[in-house]
Amino acid sequence: MNEIFKRIWHWLHPYWRKFREGIQPALEYTNGIINRIREYYRTHPRARKLTLFLGPPLACFLILITVVLIDSPGKTELGRIQNQVASEVYSADSVLLGRYYTQDRTEVRYEAIAPSVIDALIATEDVRFYQHEGVDYISLGRVLFKSILQQDESSGGGSTITQQLSKNLYPRKRYWVLSMLVNKLREVITARRLEKLYSKKELLTMYLNTIPFADNTFGIQAAAQRFYSTTAAGLSTDQSAVLVGMLKATTSYNPRVYPERAFHRRNVVLSQMVKYNFLPKKSADSLYVKPIDLKINKVSHHMGLAPYFREYLKSELLTWCKNNKKSDGNPYNLYTDGLRIYTTINSKLQTYAENAVAEQMTIVQKQFFEHWGKEKPWKGKEVVVQEAIRRSTRYKKLKLQGMSEDEIMKVMKKKVPMRLFSWDGEQEATISPIDSIEHTLQFLNAGFLAVEPGSGAVKAWVGGIDHDYFQYDHVKITTKRQVGSTFKPIVYAMALEKGIQPCELISAGQQTYIDKEGVKWTPRNTQNDYQVEYTMRGALAYSVNTVAVKLIDQAGVDNTIKLARKMGITSELPDVPSIALGSSSISLFEMTGAYACIANEGVASPPYYIDSIQDLEGNTFNEFKSPGKGERAFSPETARLVTRMMQSVVHEGTASRLRWKYGVYNDVAGKTGTTQANADGWFMAMTPKLVIGTWVGADDPRIRFRLTELGQGSSTALPMAAFFLKQVNKDPEFKEISNAKFKPLPSQLSAELDCDLYELNADLMEQIRHTVEKRDSIIRADTTAKPPFETFLEVLYKRKMKIMRANNPDTSRTNQVRVLGGE
């Protein structure tokens, strides 16, 4: 029972304290008046006859004063005033990435405000500011008639800066017919109390941090950034006059919307500054004719660095705020409590990532448009458009209004002014919402994530091509797409853990499998290389599907799934051998984390992105690393072998264009991935210091390239990693990343990989030799003729012959030699 009473008292105590602080001055004031009346009656007996006449009004006045005093904030409350302060997100290198707010406000110190702002404010709003104690009775008398007798709430001129501050801090309330009188009295009392608690400098600072400006900005710092792209300290005299002049009516004198009005209002402020000796007349004369030169800083959460990351971060921060409480027992508010969120993002790497995505996607989109020509990429699948229409916000709103399907479609076909995305810049057009949806559907999108493998710290996050138009984030853990061959390194790691030797030759021949539900399945290779025998390194380098499935069959599907879980993949993984080919849908976030585990020599390195959170009181919270950090998923020997195999993918496999086309010669291990019908293109790159995951595809996977050479991961996703690394390599700040080398393999592990990528049997070699000689004879006979297309087997043959000649210069082309040995 005692505990219940304690809880009740804890809840009631703040209200009781506020009531006590309000009622005490009221009682003292009332007692003083009563005592004076008693004394007057004692000395003037005849005055008692006036009681019947003055008694009721006096009683009403005393009640009014008591109500106002009780409703006015007490000294304790005024002593801990806190404005709504935006929470700010910072990169690891201390760059402001963005802010979360309901009121766009950044507080500044008095010393960080230009003196011209203070001068303009005092000259215009409260010239006797330094003489009065919160109330200017001279100005107040001038407006009593308008404000109180005429109930004109728009009238001004009588309130001091301190009274205006009081009104900003404690907005006016409704008190029936006495609203204006009660509110004015309340502001007077609050202003007097503020003057006793704070110095003039503190009051000016508080006012300038509180006052609302146009365009939903609050405080002088936010206004300076919004209208002049500068700080409060960097404002010039004429700029200060524009902003201060705006305070009279923020909408009417908004210089962006009404430049002429703002021009005249600015000159009024300058005249006031001259009148009260804050500005020489000669200086003012030159400023009177100066045009208003705005440098608008467009404020939008779609803009700035890492918009996809900031939007994803917001949902997590809202949950954190809900579960964490301030010293007063209330949960934190992301939009008003001025939290500082320090992330792991590096602003430069983020910039390079966004540049790389934009550069490559501009190229890919051009290729996509050229590939489809006048045809629509949903040709034969018109249901794609119909489904997109029904997913649109406009359609859903019309549906909620009770419109029929015919009525909705009539509205959706009506032309209206629209903004359209293009890689040449935003376009404005008058088209129907359906046309706009079809326009948007044609664009391919992208995802990019860079993670530090040792720590798991996310260094760059690009969730799409433009957050304003495409807000679906293709990095976040809930966005899942089929991963294709990028899953294969996990299969290979499990195979090595199960003791399968890297140099063991595995036939690429086809084999039919029956899953647990009795469904038959026969994997295929795109290269028609079923007669080739591959080592593990070769099969991974050339992304051979049949070998990957044979490996998962030997290592065990269940075991492979368990390993994937240890590496950080949480998405659903069906217990079927086809997962070896990436048939599962997994997020880019998970895949990059899994590759970070490989780069971290088999130790799980789940990505994390918040380093710490600090509140206004200086409390710091820094427990944000993902669970599972530091747990070993597989042996370091396996990790190093898989890494070396993935280096072969870059040296001469499916990712070799990273070298020969883009000139990236860092120590890089990688794996490309392409899903069925080219719906998704992937590339995962590992350097010793940074793991990069990239993805390209349409938001609707039914929209895609028809040709694999255009839609494969090496053509779409790989160039983003290449463009990113080239920028990193040029920046001296990132030499540690550019110059990093994988550890050399110890002799024992090196011996395990001492074999070629594949073997061709004698019959196959002879068959290919005849094909090659026939091709050569055609070319010799007609040098102008276009040479026949070179098959993948012919590429393997020529590479093999080159190795044979290097190992044995006397070997003739007709010799049937089985070559074993290194490259």
Side-chain angles (χ1 to χ4, degrees):
M1 186 63 71
N2 288 337
E3 184 63 28
I4 294 174
F5 281 123
K6 285 182 180 178
R7 289 184 179 180
I8 293 173
W9 172 245
H10 180 74
W11 179 73
L12 288 174
H13 183 68
Y15 299 99
W16 163 249
R17 185 171 58 191
K18 178 176 174 64
F19 175 78
R20 187 179 60 191
E21 289 180 354
I23 194 66
Q24 188 172 347
L27 291 175
E28 292 174 357
Y29 187 80
T30 304
N31 286 333
I33 292 176
I34 291 172
N35 289 333
R36 290 180 184 179
I37 291 173
R38 284 175 178 171
E39 181 62 23
Y40 187 79
Y41 282 170
R42 189 180 65 81
T43 57
H44 300 81
R46 293 181 181 179
R48 295 182 183 181
K49 294 180 180 179
L50 296 174
T51 302
L52 292 176
F53 178 74
L54 296 177
L58 182 61
C60 291
F61 178 72
L62 291 176
I63 292 171
L64 177 63
I65 292 295
T66 302
V67 169
V68 173
L69 286 168
I70 291 174
D71 198 38
S72 299
K75 291 182 180 179
T76 303
E77 184 177 347
L78 291 173
R80 55 168 186 256
I81 289 172
Q82 180 181 317
N83 284 321
Q84 290 188 13
V85 181
S87 293
E88 297 179 330
V89 181
Y90 288 90
S91 67
D93 51 335
S94 302
V95 173
L96 178 64
L97 298 178
R99 306 161 75 227
Y100 305 111
Y101 55 83
T102 52
Q103 295 182 351
D104 184 8
R105 184 200 319 275
T106 302
E107 295 199 343
V108 290
R109 296 174 291 105
Y110 181 87
E111 292 74 19
I113 302 172
S116 59
V117 174
I118 305 294
D119 294 343
L121 178 66
I122 292 175
T124 308
E125 296 292 327
D126 190 358
V127 73
R128 284 178 287 276
F129 175 71
Y130 291 108
Q131 284 75 51
H132 63 67
E133 296 181 352
V135 181
D136 186 349
Y137 294 103
I138 298 174
S139 296
L140 189 62
R142 189 176 64 244
V143 295
L144 277 176
F145 180 77
K146 286 185 178 181
S147 296
I148 298 175
L149 298 181
Q150 293 187 345
Q151 291 287 295
D152 181 6
E153 293 190 25
S154 65
S155 64
S159 294
T160 63
I161 287 174
T162 318
Q163 285 175 269
Q164 292 179 49
L165 173 61
S166 168
K167 184 171 67 174
N168 292 334
L169 294 173
Y170 302 97
R172 290 177 173 179
K173 302 178 181 179
R174 281 286 175 188
Y175 297 96
W176 197 42
V177 295
L178 297 175
S179 292
M180 181 57 68
L181 178 59
V182 173
N183 279 313
K184 281 290 185 182
L185 287 172
R186 185 165 166 260
E187 289 164 14
V188 167
I189 292 168
T190 304
R192 293 294 300 272
R193 290 176 177 175
L194 284 169
E195 291 274 349
K196 291 178 181 179
L197 287 170
Y198 297 99
S199 68
K200 292 291 184 178
K201 279 187 178 182
E202 289 172 330
L203 290 171
L204 283 170
T205 306
M206 203 180 300
Y207 176 85
L208 286 168
N209 281 325
T210 305
I211 196 72
F213 289 86
D215 287 358
N216 196 34
T217 54
F218 292 79
I220 189 64
Q221 180 77 352
Q225 291 172 342
R226 168 62 176 156
F227 293 99
Y228 291 106
S229 298
T230 187
T231 63
L235 289 167
S236 62
T237 301
D238 62 304
Q239 291 171 344
S240 299
V242 170
L243 296 183
V244 170
M246 194 190 304
L247 301 179
K248 182 178 177 67
T250 55
T251 301
S252 298
Y253 296 114
N254 184 337
R256 181 181 60 82
V257 182
Y258 303 109
E260 189 173 337
R261 292 183 193 172
F263 178 86
H264 292 299
R265 178 60 185 165
R266 179 203 66 182
N267 288 351
V268 169
V269 175
L270 293 172
S271 297
Q272 289 292 101
M273 294 176 72
V274 173
K275 179 179 178 180
Y276 294 108
N277 299 317
F278 288 107
L279 182 68
K281 188 177 184 303
K282 186 176 180 180
S283 300
D285 288 340
S286 63
L287 294 176
Y288 287 144
V289 295
K290 185 178 180 181
I292 293 178
D293 182 20
L294 298 178
K295 294 180 181 178
I296 296 292
N297 180 13
K298 186 178 179 182
V299 179
S300 169
H301 67 280
H302 299 303
M303 302 183 68
L305 274 180
Y308 289 93
F309 171 70
R310 286 185 276 116
E311 186 65 23
Y312 177 77
L313 186 64
K314 182 173 73 174
S315 60
E316 186 159 321
L317 291 172
L318 288 170
T319 302
W320 182 89
C321 288
K322 184 178 179 181
N323 296 330
N324 288 270
K325 294 183 178 180
K326 298 178 286 186
S327 56
D328 62 4
N330 294 315
Y332 284 100
N333 187 313
L334 178 63
Y335 302 105
T336 63
D337 283 339
L339 298 173
R340 288 187 168 231
I341 300 99
Y342 297 95
T343 71
T344 60
I345 295 289
N346 181 283
S347 67
K348 276 193 171 184
L349 293 179
Q350 179 67 31
T351 300
Y352 296 156
E354 292 181 9
N355 291 344
V357 169
E359 184 174 0
Q360 169 59 4
M361 293 310 295
T362 303
I363 297 169
V364 170
Q365 193 61 53
K366 183 180 178 183
Q367 292 173 340
F368 191 71
F369 285 147
E370 290 174 350
H371 171 67
W372 282 97
K374 295 181 179 180
E375 295 179 322
K376 297 296 184 183
W378 51 82
K379 181 182 178 182
K381 296 171 282 190
E382 280 68 24
V383 67
V384 170
V385 177
Q386 296 304 315
E387 291 175 1
I389 291 171
R390 287 169 175 79
R391 287 196 305 268
S392 68
T393 304
R394 191 184 298 261
Y395 179 92
K396 291 177 180 177
K397 285 182 178 179
L398 295 174
K399 194 75 173 176
L400 288 173
Q401 293 173 17
M403 288 189 179
S404 66
E405 187 70 15
D406 289 341
E407 290 173 328
I408 292 173
M409 295 310 294
K410 185 177 180 181
V411 174
M412 296 290 286
K413 290 177 181 178
K414 184 178 179 181
K415 292 185 177 183
V416 292
M418 306 281 281
R419 294 185 309 125
L420 300 175
F421 172 81
S422 84
W423 282 109
D424 295 324
E426 182 178 276
Q427 297 178 347
E428 293 185 0
T430 302
I431 59 174
S432 72
I434 290 178
D435 291 334
S436 174
I437 290 169
E438 290 186 352
H439 173 82
T440 302
L441 276 174
Q442 297 180 80
F443 282 89
L444 299 178
N445 225 305
F448 183 107
L449 186 67
V451 173
E452 194 176 76
S455 65
V458 172
K459 293 299 176 183
W461 177 312
V462 186
I465 57 174
D466 188 291
H467 193 260
D468 194 4
Y469 291 91
F470 305 90
Q471 294 173 23
Y472 192 69
D473 189 339
H474 292 281
V475 170
K476 64 182 182 179
I477 199 166
T478 54
T479 302
K480 303 177 189 295
R481 297 290 288 249
Q482 286 190 332
V483 295
S485 295
T486 57
F487 194 83
K488 287 176 181 175
I490 300 173
V491 175
Y492 280 63
M494 192 67 250
L496 290 170
E497 289 286 283
K498 284 296 181 180
I500 299 175
Q501 294 301 307
C503 282
E504 180 181 329
L505 289 171
I506 304 170
S507 169
Q510 286 185 293
Q511 184 174 324
T512 299
Y513 300 85
I514 303 175
D515 63 24
K516 292 182 179 180
E517 296 179 357
V519 178
K520 292 183 179 181
W521 173 64
T522 304
R524 295 180 298 174
N525 298 333
T526 58
Q527 310 98 319
N528 193 28
D529 56 350
Y530 301 113
Q531 294 172 273
V532 181
E533 290 183 308
Y534 289 96
T535 60
M536 288 177 71
R537 188 160 63 101
L540 189 61
Y542 298 123
S543 201
V544 184
N545 290 340
T546 52
V547 174
V549 179
K550 288 177 181 179
L551 286 173
I552 199 173
D553 190 48
Q554 293 180 58
V557 175
D558 290 343
N559 293 329
T560 305
I561 291 174
K562 289 176 183 176
L563 177 59
R565 297 282 182 241
K566 290 180 181 178
M567 295 172 71
I569 293 176
T570 58
S571 295
E572 182 182 356
L573 298 172
D575 189 3
V576 292
S578 62
I579 65 169
L581 307 184
S583 60
S584 301
S585 294
I586 305 172
S587 69
L588 180 59
F589 188 88
E590 295 169 85
M591 288 303 296
T592 309
Y595 274 70
C597 178
I598 299 173
N600 199 32
E601 297 195 343
V603 176
S605 192
Y608 76 99
Y609 34 82
I610 302 177
D611 187 62
S612 65
I613 295 176
Q614 189 177 83
D615 66 14
L616 288 172
E617 296 177 357
N619 300 311
T620 302
F621 308 86
N622 51 20
E623 297 298 325
F624 296 99
K625 291 190 177 180
S626 304
K629 168 70 179 168
E631 295 180 7
R632 180 161 290 283
F634 50 88
S635 70
E637 292 78 16
T638 292
R640 296 177 74 177
L641 286 171
V642 171
T643 299
R644 184 54 60 90
M645 292 179 189
M646 289 170 62
Q647 285 183 275
S648 294
V649 177
V650 174
H651 291 328
E652 56 178 316
T654 57
S656 60
R657 70 179 66 195
L658 192 68
R659 305 287 200 216
W660 60 261
K661 183 173 183 178
Y662 296 104
V664 176
Y665 295 102
N666 306 59
D667 233 16
V668 182
K671 185 69 191 79
T672 57
T674 309
T675 62
Q676 191 172 8
N678 312 308
D680 306 273
W682 291 76
F683 180 60
M684 309 298 297
M686 298 185 335
T687 74
K689 296 294 183 180
L690 207 61
V691 173
I692 303 160
T694 59
W695 168 90
V696 171
D699 283 345
D700 190 313
R702 292 169 291 186
I703 295 174
R704 54 210 178 192
F705 282 106
R706 289 169 293 189
L707 299 177
T708 299
E709 62 186 89
L710 293 174
Q712 62 190 353
S714 58
S715 297
T716 59
L718 180 148
M720 288 193 293
F723 292 143
F724 173 77
L725 287 171
K726 289 178 78 171
Q727 292 176 88
V728 171
N729 291 343
K730 291 177 182 178
D731 192 333
E733 183 179 331
F734 299 112
K735 281 184 177 180
E736 188 178 358
I737 295 174
S738 302
N739 298 334
K741 305 290 183 184
F742 288 112
K743 295 178 182 177
L745 290 179
S747 56
Q748 182 180 352
L749 291 182
S750 184
E752 290 187 31
L753 288 176
D754 188 16
C755 51
D756 196 12
L757 303 181
Y758 57 89
E759 292 302 329
L760 305 175
N761 62 50
D763 292 339
L764 182 59
M765 288 276 284
E766 184 65 18
Q767 178 184 336
I768 299 172
R769 183 179 68 82
H770 283 301
T771 303
V772 172
E773 288 179 348
K774 185 177 180 180
R775 173 201 303 277
D776 292 344
S777 64
I778 292 173
I779 295 172
R780 285 193 296 270
D782 185 1
T783 55
T784 61
K786 185 177 180 180
F789 180 75
E790 190 173 57
T791 67
F792 179 71
L793 287 177
E794 289 171 338
V795 173
L796 296 185
Y797 169 81
K798 287 185 175 181
R799 176 188 174 279
K800 180 64 72 175
M801 291 301 299
K802 184 177 180 180
I803 294 173
M804 290 173 63
R805 293 192 190 96
N807 291 341
N808 185 0
D810 298 329
T811 303
S812 68
R813 295 185 65 176
T814 56
N815 283 345
Q816 299 174 358
V817 181
R818 183 180 181 83
V819 178
L820 296 174
E823 295 172 62

